[in-house]
Amino acid sequence: MNTDPDCIFCKIVAGEIPSFKLYEDDETFAFMDINPVNPGHALVVHRAHHRDLFEIPAADVAIATRAAQRVAKAVQATLEPAGMNLLQCNGPAAKQSVPHFHMHVIPRHMGDGLTMNWDLVQGDMDEIGALAGKIRASL
Ligand code: 5GP
Ligand code: ZN
């Protein structure tokens, strides 16, 4: 499987960088975003390193999307937000900051003021870890 030793998400998948893991199987890996735009913000990747939507094989998009649906259902069951966005960013103008194809699972609330291009603000690690435990219990 294609990996990049300099890629932060490849390092997370390999366990070289710690993460609040939610789910993993032979092809996918899901974990909490440490700069959550809303509580419960999670990321889902295919284990294989592909830069973006234009490089990743279609079959791997399908696999990652199925895992994202599974994680989204667990986030929904745990937090019961009023809405949920799945978001996938490609290139600098779309604010892609990590060049390893990934899907954001983002709980939404009425009037939460979230716009498409948000600034990264580090979250409270105790809160993120506690939420990860609750979501894992729904997977
Ligand atoms: P992008 O802007 O590329 O669509 O999203 C990348 C996401 O990865 C950002 O939301 C950012 O908070 C998250 N991120 C960056 N570095 C790390 C990390 O080391 N650990 C975790 N869990 N998330 C990260
Ligand atoms: Zn990678």
Side-chain angles (χ1 to χ4, degrees):
M1 195 176 287
N2 190 34
T3 60
D4 178 344
D6 298 323
C7 169
I8 192 159
F9 284 178
C10 284
K11 288 180 183 171
I12 286 174
V13 167
E16 293 165 10
I17 292 179
S19 69
F20 294 107
K21 183 174 74 179
L22 295 173
Y23 172 78
E24 67 175 320
D25 58 30
D26 287 349
E27 294 187 279
T28 66
F29 194 96
F31 54 104
M32 301 295 278
D33 197 308
I34 54 167
N35 307 290
V37 292
N38 274 334
H41 182 174
L43 299 168
V44 182
V45 302
H46 196 288
R47 287 175 178 274
H49 180 87
H50 295 289
R51 189 183 62 207
D52 55 25
L53 185 64
F54 310 113
E55 284 200 346
I56 187 172
D60 288 357
V61 175
I63 288 165
T65 304
R66 267 202 298 274
Q69 184 192 33
R70 182 169 178 174
V71 170
K73 285 181 174 177
V75 172
Q76 185 69 28
T78 304
L79 293 168
E80 299 183 342
M84 180 86 67
N85 281 133
L86 288 194
L87 179 68
Q88 195 277 315
C89 308
N90 304 281
K95 279 261 191 180
Q96 182 181 16
S97 56
V98 178
H100 178 132
F101 177 93
H102 55 278
M103 304 194 68
H104 294 261
V105 174
I106 304 176
R108 297 299 309 275
H109 309 285
M110 301 301 283
D112 63 12
L114 179 59
T115 55
M116 281 292 284
N117 287 0
W118 62 84
D119 294 324
L120 296 186
V121 179
Q122 189 170 337
D124 180 306
M125 294 303 141
D126 291 341
E127 185 187 334
I128 293 170
L131 271 178
K134 288 183 183 173
I135 296 166
R136 272 196 300 271
S138 292
L139 276 159

